[in-house]
């Protein structure tokens, strides 16, 4: 995404957000932490906590952003171990002109016809350089991610995307107690089952909106009760309404087609 903003507030559910401030400046709050970003600063946010931004000594700022979902990160950045979910951005604000320039050039490769290997290599290299590198997986997290019960539970949530899944149903699908299941999700992904399900639903909703599917149809197909339910969770997670997201991605695809 590329554009100007006068403020934002997001509560990520499995998304990493990286970008560069092009013009203006912003100040960001994440819990008790405070950060200031100016032109050329790299922004690198993991999915660990909600954060919000407002203009710093200006009325708005301009930025380029990439929203990266966990499945894509795991496929592009990591093999079986370590996983991309362990990428650590201990410094959300990075002042490195070369990293910023490489990021600005990334969309040109991502949006124009090019080999998948080239696109994914450039993105993987940039993420590796901006992060602290994958953290060492402890035995508890490694064991949780390999647990067949967790895999069965995740597959069930994927298959029952639009269903109103109960904890009893998830427990039966996984074949373990609900207490153990909750511990597995938290150990493996740092989130409970319902947050994992929400992340998957928002991911599917994004894909459908990008294809131009009507919002009412998106809400029903991706497991939200109605449009207002989708709107509330989508805006909380990504800082914008589904309608605005659809318009922005439509503009991006139109621009890409003309290039």
């Amino acid at each position: 995404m590329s554009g100007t903003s006068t403020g934002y507030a997001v509560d990520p559910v499995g998304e990493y957000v990286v970008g560069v401030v092009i013009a203006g400046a912003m100040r960001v709050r994440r819990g008790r932490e405070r950060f200031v970003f100016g032109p050329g600063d790299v922004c690198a946010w993991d999915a660990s906590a909600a954060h919000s931004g407002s203009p710093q000594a200006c009325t708005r700022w301009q930025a380029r952003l990439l929203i990266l979902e966990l499945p894509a990160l795991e496929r592009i950045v990591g093999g079986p171990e370590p996983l991309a979910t362990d990428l650590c951005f201990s410094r959300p604000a990075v002042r490195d002109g070369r990293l910023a320039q490489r990021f600005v050039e990334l969309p040109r490769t991502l949006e124009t016809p090019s080999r998948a290997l080239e696109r994914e290599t450039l993105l993987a290299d940039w993420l590796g350089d901006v992060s602290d590198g994958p953290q060492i997986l402890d035995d508890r997290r490694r064991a949780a991610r390999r647990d067949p019960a967790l895999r069965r539970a995740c597959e069930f949530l994927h298959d029952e995307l639009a269903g109103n899944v109960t904890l009893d149903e998830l427990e039966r699908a996984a074949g373990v107690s609900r207490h153990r299941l909750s511990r597995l999700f938290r150990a493996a992904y740092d989130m409970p089952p319902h947050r994992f399900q929400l992340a998957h639903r928002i991911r599917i909703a994004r894909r459908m909106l990008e294809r131009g599917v009507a919002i009412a149809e998106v809400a029903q197909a991706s497991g939200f009760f109605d449009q207002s339910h989708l709107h509330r969770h989508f805006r909380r997670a990504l800082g914008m309404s589904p309608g605005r997201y659809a318009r922005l991605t439509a503009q991006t695809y139109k621009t890409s087609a003309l290039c």
Side-chain angles (χ1 to χ4, degrees):
M1 297 183 185
S2 178
T4 59
S5 181
T6 58
Y8 80 90
V10 299
D11 183 9
V13 281
E15 297 90 8
Y16 283 58
V17 179
V18 294
V20 170
V21 175
I22 305 300
M26 67 173 182
R27 60 179 179 270
V28 179
R29 175 196 301 257
R30 184 176 66 176
R32 296 182 178 180
E33 298 177 296
R34 303 291 185 274
F35 305 93
V36 174
F37 297 82
D41 287 350
V42 174
C43 316
W45 302 102
D46 59 27
S48 62
H51 49 94
S52 59
S54 58
Q56 170 70 19
C58 59
T59 57
R60 64 188 64 206
W61 72 92
Q62 181 182 359
R64 287 180 177 268
L65 299 174
L66 280 177
I67 300 174
L68 302 165
E69 299 163 339
L70 294 185
L73 281 172
E74 292 182 1
R75 177 174 55 83
I76 294 171
V77 179
E81 294 181 32
L83 294 178
T85 46
D86 294 284
L87 282 176
C88 180
F89 297 136
S90 64
R91 299 174 300 145
V94 180
R95 290 180 171 85
D96 186 317
R98 295 179 66 181
L99 274 177
Q101 184 58 37
R102 284 168 56 195
F103 180 85
V104 170
E105 293 171 356
L106 266 178
R108 300 171 190 168
T109 304
L110 299 175
E111 296 171 2
T112 57
S114 59
R115 297 291 183 183
L117 180 61
E118 177 187 6
R119 295 197 305 269
E120 294 181 1
T121 299
L122 290 173
L123 180 55
D125 288 346
W126 188 86
L127 287 170
D129 290 341
V130 78
S131 76
D132 300 334
Q135 300 171 324
I136 298 174
L137 290 174
D138 59 33
D139 291 339
R140 180 168 171 265
R141 176 161 296 188
R142 183 182 294 109
R145 289 179 174 173
R146 289 176 171 173
D147 196 300
L150 180 69
R151 184 167 58 251
R152 290 192 296 267
C154 291
E155 290 173 353
F156 183 76
L157 290 176
H158 286 307
D159 293 342
E160 297 294 329
L161 176 67
N164 186 17
V165 175
T166 67
L167 190 55
D168 283 339
E169 292 172 332
L170 191 61
E171 181 182 40
R172 288 195 296 270
V176 296
S177 71
R178 61 188 61 189
H179 178 63
R180 173 165 171 72
L181 190 59
S182 181
R183 288 170 56 193
L184 283 172
F185 270 97
R186 291 184 183 277
Y189 299 115
D190 292 320
M191 64 178 76
H194 70 277
R195 293 278 290 180
F196 182 91
Q197 181 190 52
L198 177 60
H200 182 52
R201 285 176 168 168
I202 290 176
R203 182 163 60 250
I204 297 301
R206 286 183 55 209
R207 296 287 82 79
M208 295 180 71
L209 290 167
E210 290 163 6
R211 298 198 307 268
V213 179
I215 296 177
E217 184 178 345
V218 171
Q220 182 178 15
S222 56
F224 293 93
F225 295 125
D226 51 31
Q227 286 184 242
S228 63
H229 190 218
L230 168 64
H231 185 283
R232 182 168 67 254
H233 284 290
F234 199 96
R235 188 175 186 84
R236 183 182 300 162
L238 297 175
M240 67 182 73
S241 68
R244 177 166 171 75
Y245 182 84
R247 290 191 295 273
L248 286 172
T249 52
Q251 292 171 4
T252 299
Y253 292 147
K254 182 177 179 180
T255 302
S256 299
L258 295 175
C259 293

